[in-house]
Amino acid sequence: MDLRLSPDAVKFRDELRAWLDENLERPYTEELLDPKHDEDSLVEVRRNFQRKLNDAGYLGMGWPTEWGGRGATAVEEALLRAELAIADAPQSPNSLGIGLCGPALIHHGTEEQRQRFLPAMLSCDEIWCQGFSEPGAGSDLAGIRTRAEPDGDDFRIHGQKVWTTLGPWSDWIFVLARTDMEDRYGGITFFLMPIDQPGVEMRPLKQISGESEFGEVFFDNALAKREHIVGKLGEGWRIAMTVLGFERGGSTLLPSAEYGRQIDCLVDALSASGEIERADVREKVGALIVENEVLRANGMRTLASVAQDLPPGPESSIDKIFWSEYHQRLTDTAIELMGPQGQLLVTSPGARKDVDWMYEYLWSRAGTIYSGSSEIQRNIIAKRVLQMPTK
Amino acid sequence: MDLRLSPDAVKFRDELRAWLDENLERPYTEELLDPKHDEDSLVEVRRNFQRKLNDAGYLGMGWPTEWGGRGATAVEEALLRAELAIADAPQSPNSLGIGLCGPALIHHGTEEQRQRFLPAMLSCDEIWCQGFSEPGAGSDLAGIRTRAEPDGDDFRIHGQKVWTTLGPWSDWIFVLARTDMEDRYGGITFFLMPIDQPGVEMRPLKQISGESEFGEVFFDNALAKREHIVGKLGEGWRIAMTVLGFERGGSTLLPSAEYGRQIDCLVDALSASGEIERADVREKVGALIVENEVLRANGMRTLASVAQDLPPGPESSIDKIFWSEYHQRLTDTAIELMGPQGQLLVTSPGARKDVDWMYEYLWSRAGTIYSGSSEIQRNIIAKRVLQMPTK
Amino acid sequence: MHFELNEDQALLKSSTRELLESESPIAESRTVMEDNPDGFAKDLHAQLGELGYLGILQTEDAGGMGAIAFAAVLAEMGRVAFPGPYMDVAVAVRVLEDCGGDTAAKWQQAAASGEKIVVLARGENMTNADDTNVAATFADGRVTGRKVFVPFGAQADALLVDTVQGIALVERPDAGWNATEQTTLDHSQRFAAIDFDDAGELLCDASKGTQVLADAARRATLGASAVMLGCMESALESGVAYTKEREAFGAPIGSFQGLQHRAADMLIKTESTRSAVFRAAWAEENGEPDAGYVVSVAKAWAGPSSRFVCGQSIQLLGGVGYTWEYDQHMWLKRAKTFESFYGSTRASTENVLASSTHLNS
Amino acid sequence: MHFELNEDQALLKSSTRELLESESPIAESRTVMEDNPDGFAKDLHAQLGELGYLGILQTEDAGGMGAIAFAAVLAEMGRVAFPGPYMDVAVAVRVLEDCGGDTAAKWQQAAASGEKIVVLARGENMTNADDTNVAATFADGRVTGRKVFVPFGAQADALLVDTVQGIALVERPDAGWNATEQTTLDHSQRFAAIDFDDAGELLCDASKGTQVLADAARRATLGASAVMLGCMESALESGVAYTKEREAFGAPIGSFQGLQHRAADMLIKTESTRSAVFRAAWAEENGEPDAGYVVSVAKAWAGPSSRFVCGQSIQLLGGVGYTWEYDQHMWLKRAKTFESFYGSTRASTENVLASSTHLNS
């Protein structure tokens, strides 16, 4: 066992911290609270910070250097995300492009596609959104029904996608669509499509938080050019699975870092009110910290396994269930402990200004649903890990 | 709504309390701790107290008076059981006889059977055990495989029964056995059998508490006489279901009364140690009380429904899941709060002597398994109450 | 013993459901929340007054219908996440009656009829809703101090202010309240912090006021528990209904045992809450000595239980459960907000422990 | 970064499993519990000494193998609910080394070799195992006082007694200890209350002793967490194995989603405990500044988690899970008892909170 960071990793983290001290003007929650901002200008804040990160070499961590990436290790990527969360830095508006579409192009795209798309992705000149999930398919990605009909050399797309992050601000979308209605896995193709064209309609989808970070997109005879197919026809499922697998290491330290920051802010609030002196409050906060440290330990273990290039074990389903369900408990308990003040919207006078607790509380309800619901993850554990029988 | 006890019920309860003051020599837990006792003499303590109850007219509460019962209301029966629990009175060694077999005879037996069996049941001269559950059938009573083969006018029984309460001290057993292997429900017959005969072997089955209150019984060509069949051939399933339904009202107030006593004893222990002053301890004890009061409210509601002769609703599955899972939380938390002392066997020097916490802790693990496991009860709720679809 | 509503109460319950279904179904609750600056429909509030709903907690002689009716009505309102100060006004009406005197009587009539909005202004602690210490004072005909999280305080025509000297009535000044909106998770539940330096009138002194306010708090605790019960009912019903329609992996998702057992747990919590709430309502209505105890039991139980049921209702729906368009969030937000007010889970649990002297049944 | 055991540790783990499978499988643990008046097999304890297991926590120079090896061995022991004072003696051996001096060295050798049983006698509070206040004294060559819940105290050849003056060694008097057996849920874990009025020798003074005992307590906390991990492993494995064989309603019960999701939860708890325990073991072994913090995290987590997993293992088996014959109760009892000792869940949680100064990673 060795859980210590390598000297290189420590150096990387220390440089990053110094860079953040210098370059992050203020926490994103403060940006949110600045009355000068609206939804559009907040996206610009995020875009601008992404450009700064890119200029400093902190973007496309896993991409090869020839494409503007850093060729960084999984540990470095994990540290980057954790430190950004601790600093409450603006989140990238292009994370799905860089995390999923970029790797798809690097591994499966043509030279032309790479040259055309990768630089503008990193620089955030073009924002990408994801067209994987569908309203009818839920957690079953192979069940998608969006179809691509041949139109000369090209294709015409018909269907609907949901959970489209930052759709209204996106320029391009990468889409899984059926080029064969019969072949469940082999009939899916990976397309790149511009959003500003006839037949593509982006609709903001209001979430329970009242925001519309996610949207829906409707395709009605939208054009997908043959030159914008990634890989071959029918390879879309395989490519999607591969690039989703690349995500394995980078997020290992993120949840515990993010929740750790939230716990810190909770402790601040309870110290200010004096409630932290009560034994019952201490016990509840202590239990939250314990659970977050176990989450961190799980993350360290997964990261170690990625760093060693070990084959994936049960950890991705365990980690997903753990962080998503824990975040519900954390926000639920935090709000309860903060009393009436804890109920206030972050914009309300008298509210704590360091965490948008109401948003976090509501957002935590999505965590157990997207990217494979808790139910699906438990099925995976029971069947693949514990090898329990099917009827 | 009216949750107040009727004047008659209040009178019944007050008389009962006065009678208990007079006639219960000491709590059963004290009997348990008396070194003069062994397993046999403890059964005698229980038998003797049952005789006292019977002499005072507190046994066979729901039986008609012509058979020595009281013809009492469901409310009175529920009050009796609750008061006995609060007083920590010795439990009847014949409760399944009186609760299940007696009603079966009264409603479905012959005059000869009633005269032969009912008086000795109430007087506890003959102890009865139940032969319903089987190792292979679990929660599925219609799945029993013990078979009754014709032998002249009579039958020969082959098979095995489990969860046989007080088997080693019993004189008679009432048994469900198959007289028809094909007819799932209509092939089951209700037999009465003496235990002291060739072909009946009682084996104590050691439980995780180290005790053997339950046993197994093996039938190998044991004789079941035709005159000891209750009802007709093939009516066993229907009779069993009917008498199990009689149980509906009597136990409604029992769990909350019993657990209420346990909570009282917990509060005593925590008051003695001073731990009750801690806010975290208070919060946990308070939550235990809240939950027990909700259990009590559920019980009152069920009892009110029985008292009104309303058709059964979802309450029996709800109540079963609630009390059994709550008892696990209660004992788990109580032991934790009592610290090292809470870990002591009741017989150990320095242990609290009012509750046998270790026994209760372990016994609580059985509650979610017997009489229809928590899983079965949830299936029932989902299917019968919520009418959720089957695949 | 019987647990069912009596004929009058059952009729009230069904007519309330009809009224809300026609005048204010949950879609309307959403519209009010989004578009109505007051956070409630004034017309409908006035209608509730005309129909006698606002006077429900008054003594029988004054036209009240009792705590069981109150709980039954509020459970119906919870079902549609009904927005507005109904409960707060109903409680205040009874406080006015309990205070007595001409001014109180005048306002009692105005509030019960729905003409005027009158609510209590009690808490002063931003981080503890159960803190009953007050610093606000009444002196020389003026009320001074600061109250926080006054429900629909900004919309009120008069406030019943808990002061060191007793309960004082303050009418809205011509210039309006010196109010700061306090927006919570449940957007339709309006709160305000209000700074007082206004003319007022003492309705009853502190020695009497303490009991009057304790009674009011107990009734509000009961009412909030009933609202949460209603939220749970709807969340359970609509969640389960969805699982019967929605298909995945070739079968309705409601046929999967994982969701079936979850739904069973939701039913257990919901029905147990019903038992606890109506046991408490019965005790309150009949002046049972343990009314405070069983009311606190109901609230301490309803809080976490309603969060569970309403949260799991979102989970049953999956992705669409997370959208504004579906109703699940309305119930979750109401439940979560109500848990912290009108007797928090912690305060209710403490009250249970404090009132339990070895729990003899 | 890597999380796997190194070659030596992995070899130790597999040879420990082989040793226990051949010499002391769980059936043997049951036999010892039922029939052995000492509660453990002395021969096997001596064998553990010969094989170097008892000296595992000594410094490397003295032949120790480190905290990771210690945790790996104890997890194996947890798997078979291994009875006996192994962990307590291993911790005491290190205390003797840390105290230093001739007497300590002599006893260190005797305890590490398995010839003598030496354990710590610390607690004096019947209702709080984490109370470190001591009243026992050492004066004029005698130790007086009362210690409770001394693990295998009645079986010990010498006790290391925490006194106001420091750590004193008391050899078993010729007349035997003045001991009262304290029988707990876990029958195989023997405890005794011991009254001292015996000749003793001070091994180290209080100023040094405080640190030595704090180190010992931390190691015992780690060890207990590892034992609980082992219990969970076995409870999960045997519970899931049963669901694959047992049929009901025409299918193996393991095919029902309700049990599948339960088993998944058991796996999550078990694997998370593994992460926490070995993270803590690594920190302890490497003298990381946060070792006390992460050790407490592991224990605070392992307690409730092991109760859940071991309890649900009984539930997976149904009726037979409630019988003495099946092994499930062995793990549940060990886990439940260990939760209250060697740093209770509460004390561990408090320690986590106290050591967490805003948790910078």
Side-chain angles (χ1 to χ4, degrees):
Chain A
M1 282 189 79
D2 184 9
L3 299 180
R4 201 172 283 128
L5 293 176
S6 70
D8 282 355
V10 171
K11 180 160 169 283
F12 171 84
R13 190 187 58 186
D14 291 347
E15 284 172 6
L16 171 61
R17 284 183 179 171
W19 184 87
L20 282 167
D21 271 350
E22 192 94 345
N23 290 279
L24 177 63
E25 282 169 33
R26 52 179 180 169
Y28 187 65
T29 311
E30 283 184 26
E31 299 283 357
L32 265 180
L33 289 168
D34 190 329
K36 81 177 179 199
H37 283 310
D38 58 16
E39 277 193 315
D40 288 332
S41 68
L42 282 170
V43 172
E44 286 314 304
V45 168
R46 293 165 65 176
R47 192 197 300 266
N48 289 334
F49 187 72
Q50 150 135 339
R51 284 174 175 155
K52 274 195 190 177
L53 279 174
N54 189 32
D55 292 344
Y58 289 124
L59 225 56
M61 292 288 290
W63 291 17
T65 47
E66 65 170 307
W67 293 111
R70 191 183 182 104
T73 64
V75 171
E76 287 167 341
E77 175 143 20
L79 287 173
L80 175 78
R81 295 206 201 170
E83 292 296 325
L84 292 176
I86 292 167
D88 191 17
Q91 293 191 317
S92 167
N94 221 5
S95 57
L96 290 170
I98 294 173
L100 295 179
C101 190
L105 293 175
I106 289 165
H107 291 86
H108 306 279
T110 63
E111 189 63 19
E112 291 71 28
Q113 288 171 343
R114 293 178 189 138
Q115 286 183 358
R116 163 66 188 84
F117 293 114
L118 293 178
M121 207 178 263
L122 277 190
S123 69
C124 225
D125 289 333
E126 288 173 350
I127 295 184
W128 287 75
C129 64
Q130 185 204 58
F132 283 5
S133 303
E134 294 188 7
S139 295
D140 177 16
L141 208 53
I144 64 164
R145 286 178 300 196
T146 292
R147 64 187 202 281
E149 294 181 348
D151 177 12
D153 273 358
D154 299 329
F155 289 85
R156 292 288 171 175
I157 311 293
H158 301 264
Q160 183 190 355
K161 297 286 181 180
V162 291
W163 294 94
T164 324
T165 315
L166 283 184
W169 290 271
S170 298
D171 306 290
W172 285 79
I173 183 168
F174 52 103
V175 174
L176 292 181
R178 295 214 152 270
T179 39
D180 180 338
M181 298 308 283
E182 305 301 317
D183 187 344
R184 185 167 156 82
Y185 297 98
I188 297 173
T189 299
F190 195 118
F191 293 98
L192 312 178
M193 297 169 65
I195 284 168
D196 186 13
Q197 63 159 307
V200 177
E201 189 193 350
M202 278 286 173
R203 286 190 207 154
L205 186 63
K206 200 170 174 185
Q207 285 108 49
I208 66 177
S209 60
E211 309 192 14
S212 303
E213 170 123 5
F214 301 116
E216 299 172 290
V217 54
F218 295 83
F219 299 105
D220 177 16
N221 214 39
L223 180 65
K225 292 201 176 167
R226 176 164 292 266
E227 70 207 65
H228 291 155
I229 291 175
V230 182
K232 302 210 177 86
L233 270 184
E235 283 190 340
W237 164 261
R238 193 172 61 78
I239 294 172
M241 289 297 111
T242 314
V243 295
L244 284 169
F246 290 152
E247 285 289 283
R248 204 176 141 217
S251 297
T252 47
L253 303 182
L254 174 63
S256 57
E258 189 177 336
Y259 305 157
R261 194 186 92 82
Q262 291 175 11
I263 293 172
D264 288 350
C265 294
L266 170 64
V267 170
D268 285 345
L270 298 173
S271 303
S273 66
E275 290 278 312
I276 195 72
E277 302 303 325
R278 291 177 56 113
D280 55 338
V281 172
R282 292 178 69 79
E283 199 252 351
K284 286 180 180 173
V285 176
L288 289 177
I289 297 174
V290 166
E291 199 161 357
N292 196 47
E293 289 299 333
V294 175
L295 177 60
R296 194 189 308 272
N298 278 341
M300 290 164 76
R301 180 175 164 196
T302 304
L303 181 57
S305 152
V306 175
Q308 294 282 99
D309 268 331
L310 295 176
E315 66 271 356
S316 80
S317 289
I318 292 176
D319 291 352
K320 170 78 205 305
I321 292 173
F322 203 124
W323 68 249
S324 62
E325 298 187 352
Y326 170 63
H327 197 215
Q328 293 181 353
R329 288 189 286 277
L330 164 61
T331 54
D332 219 349
T333 307
I335 288 170
E336 190 178 359
L337 292 179
M338 286 189 287
Q341 185 183 41
Q343 291 277 338
L344 289 172
L345 298 196
V346 68
T347 48
S348 192
R352 303 289 303 178
K353 300 300 183 192
D354 43 6
V355 174
D356 186 348
W357 286 107
M358 292 305 106
Y359 177 80
E360 294 296 330
Y361 178 68
L362 295 171
W363 174 232
S364 78
R365 307 306 319 187
T368 52
I369 295 169
Y370 70 75
S371 290
S373 68
S374 288
E375 289 79 14
I376 296 289
Q377 303 292 353
R378 285 191 168 82
N379 286 346
I380 291 172
I381 291 175
K383 286 176 184 155
R384 297 198 204 148
V385 186
L386 295 171
Q387 304 193 297
M388 293 174 82
T390 42
K391 258 183 260 192
Chain B
M1 281 190 78
D2 183 9
L3 299 179
R4 200 173 285 128
L5 293 176
S6 69
D8 282 354
V10 171
K11 179 160 168 280
F12 171 84
R13 190 187 59 186
D14 291 347
E15 284 172 6
L16 171 62
R17 284 183 178 170
W19 184 87
L20 282 168
D21 271 350
E22 191 95 345
N23 290 277
L24 176 63
E25 285 171 31
R26 53 179 179 170
Y28 187 65
T29 311
E30 282 183 28
E31 298 283 357
L32 265 180
L33 289 168
D34 190 329
K36 82 178 178 198
H37 282 310
D38 58 16
E39 276 193 316
D40 288 331
S41 67
L42 282 170
V43 172
E44 286 314 303
V45 168
R46 294 166 65 174
R47 192 197 299 264
N48 289 334
F49 187 71
Q50 150 135 337
R51 285 175 174 154
K52 274 194 190 178
L53 280 174
N54 188 33
D55 293 343
Y58 289 125
L59 225 55
M61 292 287 289
W63 292 18
T65 46
E66 63 169 308
W67 294 113
R70 191 184 183 102
T73 64
V75 172
E76 287 168 340
E77 175 143 21
L79 288 172
L80 176 79
R81 295 205 202 169
E83 292 297 325
L84 291 177
I86 293 167
D88 192 16
Q91 292 192 315
S92 167
N94 221 4
S95 57
L96 291 170
I98 294 174
L100 295 179
C101 190
L105 292 176
I106 290 165
H107 289 86
H108 306 279
T110 64
E111 190 63 18
E112 290 71 28
Q113 288 171 342
R114 293 177 189 140
Q115 286 184 358
R116 163 66 189 83
F117 293 115
L118 293 179
M121 207 178 262
L122 277 189
S123 69
C124 225
D125 290 333
E126 287 173 350
I127 295 184
W128 287 76
C129 63
Q130 184 204 60
F132 283 4
S133 303
E134 294 188 7
S139 294
D140 177 16
L141 207 54
I144 64 165
R145 286 178 300 197
T146 292
R147 63 186 203 281
E149 294 182 346
D151 178 12
D153 272 358
D154 300 328
F155 289 85
R156 292 287 170 176
I157 311 293
H158 301 265
Q160 182 190 355
K161 296 288 179 178
V162 291
W163 294 94
T164 324
T165 315
L166 282 184
W169 288 272
S170 297
D171 305 291
W172 284 78
I173 183 168
F174 52 103
V175 174
L176 291 181
R178 294 214 153 268
T179 39
D180 179 336
M181 298 308 283
E182 306 301 317
D183 187 344
R184 186 167 156 82
Y185 296 98
I188 296 173
T189 300
F190 195 118
F191 294 97
L192 311 177
M193 298 169 65
I195 284 167
D196 186 13
Q197 63 159 306
V200 176
E201 190 192 352
M202 278 285 171
R203 286 191 209 155
L205 186 63
K206 201 169 174 184
Q207 283 108 52
I208 66 177
S209 59
E211 308 190 16
S212 302
E213 170 122 5
F214 300 117
E216 299 171 291
V217 54
F218 294 84
F219 300 105
D220 178 15
N221 214 39
L223 180 66
K225 293 201 175 166
R226 177 163 291 265
E227 70 207 64
H228 291 155
I229 290 175
V230 182
K232 301 211 176 86
L233 271 183
E235 284 191 340
W237 164 260
R238 193 172 60 81
I239 294 172
M241 287 299 111
T242 313
V243 296
L244 284 169
F246 289 153
E247 286 288 286
R248 203 176 143 219
S251 297
T252 47
L253 302 182
L254 175 63
S256 56
E258 189 179 336
Y259 305 157
R261 193 186 93 81
Q262 292 174 12
I263 294 172
D264 288 349
C265 294
L266 170 64
V267 171
D268 286 345
L270 298 173
S271 301
S273 67
E275 289 279 312
I276 195 71
E277 301 303 324
R278 290 177 56 113
D280 55 337
V281 172
R282 292 178 70 78
E283 200 252 350
K284 286 180 180 174
V285 175
L288 289 177
I289 297 175
V290 165
E291 199 162 357
N292 196 48
E293 288 300 332
V294 175
L295 178 59
R296 195 189 308 273
N298 278 341
M300 291 164 75
R301 180 175 164 196
T302 304
L303 180 58
S305 152
V306 174
Q308 294 283 97
D309 268 332
L310 295 178
E315 66 270 358
S316 79
S317 289
I318 292 176
D319 290 352
K320 169 77 206 303
I321 291 173
F322 203 124
W323 67 250
S324 62
E325 298 187 353
Y326 170 62
H327 196 215
Q328 293 181 353
R329 289 189 286 276
L330 164 60
T331 55
D332 219 349
T333 307
I335 288 170
E336 191 178 358
L337 292 179
M338 288 189 285
Q341 186 183 41
Q343 291 278 338
L344 288 173
L345 298 197
V346 68
T347 49
S348 192
R352 303 290 302 180
K353 301 299 184 192
D354 44 7
V355 174
D356 186 348
W357 286 107
M358 292 304 106
Y359 177 80
E360 294 296 330
Y361 179 68
L362 295 171
W363 174 232
S364 78
R365 308 306 319 187
T368 53
I369 296 170
Y370 71 74
S371 290
S373 68
S374 288
E375 289 79 13
I376 295 290
Q377 303 292 354
R378 286 192 169 82
N379 286 346
I380 291 173
I381 291 175
K383 286 177 184 154
R384 297 198 203 147
V385 185
L386 295 171
Q387 307 194 294
M388 293 175 82
T390 43
K391 257 184 263 192
Chain C
M1 280 180 93
H2 58 104
F3 194 85
E4 297 70 51
L5 298 178
N6 70 25
E7 212 172 313
D8 288 350
Q9 292 157 353
L11 186 64
L12 176 66
K13 177 186 160 98
S14 63
S15 59
T16 304
R17 184 169 300 190
E18 280 166 31
L19 175 73
L20 293 172
E21 272 172 6
S22 92
E23 300 300 313
S24 192
I26 190 159
E28 180 64 18
S29 301
R30 191 197 313 273
T31 305
V32 168
M33 171 170 70
E34 288 170 346
D35 299 335
N36 189 316
D38 293 318
F40 70 105
K42 290 192 169 172
D43 294 358
L44 189 51
H45 185 83
Q47 197 183 340
L48 289 175
E50 284 157 27
L51 293 169
Y53 282 100
L54 288 165
I56 198 166
L57 281 178
Q58 293 172 123
T59 56
E60 209 176 326
D61 291 346
M65 290 180 268
I68 297 172
F70 176 63
V73 165
L74 282 170
E76 291 304 313
M77 291 182 172
R79 290 179 63 91
V80 296
F82 184 67
Y86 169 72
M87 180 176 96
D88 304 293
V89 175
V91 169
V93 166
R94 176 60 184 265
V95 168
L96 287 161
E97 183 184 0
D98 288 347
C99 285
D102 290 346
T103 303
K106 186 187 81 181
W107 281 96
Q108 178 188 347
Q109 194 280 325
S113 68
E115 286 159 48
K116 300 286 190 184
I117 304 290
V118 185
V119 298
L120 290 173
R122 293 199 68 186
E124 302 181 3
N125 187 330
M126 282 290 287
T127 54
N128 184 347
D130 308 302
D131 184 351
T132 53
N133 291 315
V134 298
T137 56
F138 174 84
D140 304 327
R142 289 194 82 74
V143 170
T144 50
R146 178 181 173 82
K147 297 289 179 181
V148 299
F149 290 99
V150 182
F152 294 89
Q155 289 77 22
D157 299 296
L159 294 169
L160 301 176
V161 187
D162 185 11
T163 74
V164 175
Q165 287 72 28
I167 303 171
L169 185 139
V170 179
E171 275 191 70
R172 180 167 46 204
D174 293 339
W177 300 109
N178 187 1
T180 310
E181 283 269 4
Q182 296 185 300
T183 316
T184 65
L185 180 65
D186 181 357
H187 300 240
S188 46
Q189 187 69 13
R190 304 298 163 99
F191 292 98
I194 298 186
D195 288 288
F196 293 93
D197 184 8
D198 302 293
E201 180 177 341
L202 202 64
L203 298 185
C204 81
D205 65 17
S207 63
K208 180 178 176 188
T210 304
Q211 185 59 48
V212 169
L213 290 174
D215 291 343
R218 198 179 59 249
R219 293 180 186 118
T221 301
L222 172 65
S225 309
V227 169
M228 291 191 274
L229 169 62
C231 292
M232 294 162 85
E233 284 179 25
S234 291
L236 171 64
E237 287 167 17
S238 80
V240 168
Y242 185 85
T243 69
K244 296 178 184 176
E245 288 160 18
R246 164 80 179 191
E247 300 214 345
F249 304 102
I253 60 173
S255 67
F256 292 101
Q257 202 184 41
L259 291 192
Q260 289 186 346
H261 285 191
R262 187 96 43 85
D265 284 332
M266 292 164 69
L267 178 89
I268 292 169
K269 296 279 190 198
T270 305
E271 290 304 322
S272 302
T273 305
R274 188 186 318 286
S275 304
V277 166
F278 281 97
R279 177 190 178 195
W282 177 82
E284 172 67 26
E285 177 152 323
N286 289 277
E288 296 287 315
D290 69 349
Y293 174 72
V294 292
V295 166
S296 290
V297 164
K299 184 67 163 61
W301 180 255
S305 298
S306 59
R307 264 194 282 126
F308 171 78
V309 171
C310 299
Q312 288 305 320
S313 183
I314 293 178
Q315 187 74 18
L316 290 184
L317 267 66
V320 297
Y322 190 66
T323 62
W324 188 264
E325 182 191 347
Y326 280 74
D327 299 323
Q328 320 316 103
H329 66 109
M330 304 284 289
W331 300 307
L332 178 69
K333 289 168 178 172
R334 178 64 49 92
K336 180 70 182 168
T337 297
F338 268 42
E339 191 189 2
S340 286
F341 294 99
Y342 307 111
S344 69
T345 301
R346 182 168 88 187
S348 299
T349 305
E350 279 175 357
N351 191 40
V352 167
L353 191 64
S355 356
S356 125
T357 56
H358 268 211
L359 298 173
N360 292 310
S361 61
Chain D
M1 280 181 91
H2 57 106
F3 194 84
E4 298 69 50
L5 298 178
N6 70 25
E7 211 172 315
D8 288 350
Q9 292 157 352
L11 186 64
L12 176 66
K13 177 186 160 97
S14 63
S15 58
T16 304
R17 184 169 300 190
E18 280 167 30
L19 176 72
L20 293 172
E21 272 171 5
S22 91
E23 301 300 313
S24 192
I26 190 159
E28 179 64 18
S29 301
R30 190 196 313 270
T31 306
V32 167
M33 170 170 69
E34 289 170 345
D35 299 335
N36 188 317
D38 293 318
F40 69 105
K42 290 192 167 172
D43 294 358
L44 189 52
H45 185 82
Q47 197 184 341
L48 290 175
E50 284 158 27
L51 293 169
Y53 281 99
L54 288 164
I56 197 166
L57 281 177
Q58 293 173 123
T59 56
E60 208 177 329
D61 291 345
M65 291 180 267
I68 297 172
F70 176 63
V73 165
L74 282 170
E76 291 303 314
M77 291 180 171
R79 290 179 63 92
V80 297
F82 183 68
Y86 168 73
M87 181 176 95
D88 304 292
V89 174
V91 168
V93 166
R94 177 60 184 266
V95 168
L96 287 162
E97 184 184 358
D98 288 347
C99 285
D102 290 347
T103 304
K106 187 187 83 181
W107 282 96
Q108 179 188 349
Q109 194 279 324
S113 68
E115 287 159 47
K116 299 285 189 185
I117 304 291
V118 184
V119 298
L120 291 173
R122 291 200 69 184
E124 302 182 2
N125 188 329
M126 282 290 286
T127 54
N128 183 347
D130 309 302
D131 182 352
T132 52
N133 290 316
V134 298
T137 56
F138 175 84
D140 304 327
R142 290 193 80 74
V143 170
T144 50
R146 177 181 173 84
K147 296 290 181 181
V148 298
F149 291 99
V150 182
F152 294 88
Q155 290 77 23
D157 298 297
L159 294 169
L160 302 177
V161 187
D162 185 11
T163 73
V164 175
Q165 287 72 27
I167 303 170
L169 184 139
V170 179
E171 275 192 70
R172 179 167 47 206
D174 293 338
W177 299 108
N178 188 0
T180 310
E181 283 269 3
Q182 295 184 303
T183 316
T184 65
L185 181 65
D186 182 357
H187 300 240
S188 47
Q189 188 69 11
R190 304 297 163 100
F191 291 97
I194 299 186
D195 287 290
F196 292 94
D197 184 7
D198 302 292
E201 181 177 340
L202 201 65
L203 297 185
C204 80
D205 65 19
S207 63
K208 180 177 176 188
T210 304
Q211 185 58 48
V212 168
L213 290 174
D215 291 343
R218 199 179 58 249
R219 291 178 188 121
T221 300
L222 172 65
S225 309
V227 168
M228 289 191 275
L229 169 61
C231 292
M232 293 162 85
E233 283 180 26
S234 290
L236 172 63
E237 288 168 16
S238 80
V240 168
Y242 184 85
T243 69
K244 296 179 185 177
E245 289 161 17
R246 163 82 178 188
E247 300 214 345
F249 304 101
I253 60 173
S255 67
F256 292 101
Q257 203 184 40
L259 292 191
Q260 289 185 347
H261 285 191
R262 187 96 43 84
D265 284 332
M266 292 164 70
L267 179 90
I268 293 168
K269 296 280 191 197
T270 304
E271 290 303 322
S272 301
T273 304
R274 189 188 316 287
S275 304
V277 166
F278 281 97
R279 177 189 178 196
W282 177 82
E284 173 68 26
E285 177 152 324
N286 289 277
E288 296 287 315
D290 67 351
Y293 175 72
V294 292
V295 165
S296 290
V297 164
K299 183 68 164 58
W301 179 255
S305 298
S306 59
R307 267 194 281 125
F308 171 79
V309 171
C310 298
Q312 288 305 321
S313 183
I314 292 178
Q315 188 74 18
L316 290 184
L317 267 66
V320 298
Y322 191 65
T323 61
W324 187 265
E325 182 191 347
Y326 279 74
D327 298 324
Q328 319 318 101
H329 66 108
M330 305 284 289
W331 301 308
L332 178 68
K333 289 169 178 173
R334 177 64 49 92
K336 180 70 182 166
T337 298
F338 268 42
E339 191 189 1
S340 285
F341 294 99
Y342 307 111
S344 70
T345 301
R346 181 168 89 187
S348 298
T349 305
E350 279 176 356
N351 191 41
V352 167
L353 191 65
S355 358
S356 126
T357 55
H358 269 210
L359 298 172
N360 293 309
S361 59

